[in-house]
Amino acid sequence: LQQRSTDLQNLINGNANIVSGGAKQINQIIVSTFCDIPGPATVAINYFVYGAGWVPRYELRATNNSASLQFKQYADVFQNTGIDWKDVNITLSTGSPNQNNTLPVLSTYWLSFMDYYRKYKAIKKLENEVVVAGATTDKDGADEKPAANYDSYKLEEKAKYASDFVQLNQNLLRTEYVIALKYTIPSDNKPHLLAVQSKDLATVFDYSAIPKLDRNAFLLAHITGWEELNLMPGKAMLYMDDSYLGQTVLQTTSDDDTLAMNMGRDASLNMERKLLKDKSKEKTIVGEKIVTKSYQITVRNTKAVGIKMHVYDQIPMPTDASIKVELTDAGGANLDESNGTLTWDLNLKPKEVKKLTFTYTVHYPATKALNVQ
């Protein structure tokens, strides 16, 4: 019995290669029926199982000469139900039967001092969570791999791509992707790739840079019309002119109608940030210390084309009423007084170099020690 239990657990975990004596998992459904009158009947079984789901994955492809971005959505479907799904129609749902469907109760909000270690542990737990939605099949009778069996489905002439066979259905609670192609998903708990949708989205490209933290600029794609795609958060593979740039995370919780995507760094746009020592000084007047800091940012566009760029820097924000910070020279930047962020909106010509300078002054009691950077 112990050996049979071990073999069963290995079969459930997809380790059929280490079971003894060619053991196989036996699945049974026991049904109690009742009928009012005698006669022949056809019984259809529709059941729910754990151990099946899907994770969204995205692919974003951009080109230098286009004002749009090719967006592709895939699904990594996995199942560990003990039964291989052979030539089945799959419906992907953003809802999950595993979730609690009861409205929570709003308890009293008690305010207390923060335990920072507990807060750190809670944040790490959230970062490790993976979004998994439900996957259902309609069947008659570790490495990622394509799962479609195209020979078992007669393709329509108007359909060119696998995503053309996906129908989007929405109701009050969830979004469903009904796939007309038949797929085979073995019970191996490994991800199997399915195409969901493909769109060309209007996109505006520009660059952003924070030379205080990084000498390179980063290309951002501002995508419009994304809210109509009913997306879930997930990893996105980035490509520019068919060259792989890396990965990012597609965050779909924004309330903005424009989705900003980081496409990666561009080494042809260089930044240098340095302290101007001749304009930076310290002095003490009647018990008050005055520190002046002046910085210069040099932006170089080595490209053969003009670009738009946003450059960001900052001035310190006081946490004590005895500390006063004054921006004496913004250098053409816009100041966000809520957080001290400076923003320059630049239009750089090919091979152009621009110098941005800003100066701020800090006043604080001479008896106090303050680290002004």
Side-chain angles (χ1 to χ4, degrees), residues 131-153:
V131 177
V132 177
T136 60
T137 67
D138 180 13
K139 187 179 186 305
D140 297 328
D143 293 327
E144 169 188 299
K145 59 192 77 174
N149 180 5
Y150 295 100
D151 294 335
S152 64
Y153 191 88

Side-chain angles (χ1 to χ4, degrees), residues 307-328:
I307 57 99
K308 292 182 178 181
M309 177 183 288
H310 307 288
V311 179
Y312 302 95
D313 213 297
Q314 61 185 169
I315 62 173
M317 298 293 291
T319 58
D320 191 287
S322 62
I323 305 173
K324 296 181 180 179
V325 179
E326 180 184 2
L327 179 63
T328 56

Side-chain angles (χ1 to χ4, degrees), residues 5-6 9-10 24 27-28 45 75 80-81 114 130 143 149 153 163 197 221-222 231 241 266 270 290 312 344:
S5 176
T6 301
Q9 193 61 46
N10 285 325
K24 294 183 179 180
N27 302 282
Q28 297 182 358
I45 304 298
N80 193 28
T81 63
M114 171 59 69
V130 178
D143 293 327
N149 180 5
Y153 191 88
S163 57
Q197 59 180 325
H222 302 275
L231 304 178
D241 292 330
D266 191 334
N270 299 320
I290 303 174
Y312 302 95
W344 290 267

Side-chain angles (χ1 to χ4, degrees), residues 92-114:
L92 305 175
S93 173
T94 59
S96 175
N98 298 328
Q99 291 180 325
N100 183 5
N101 294 315
T102 303
L103 179 68
V105 177
L106 188 63
S107 302
T108 304
Y109 176 22
W110 299 107
L111 190 62
S112 61
F113 290 106
M114 171 59 69

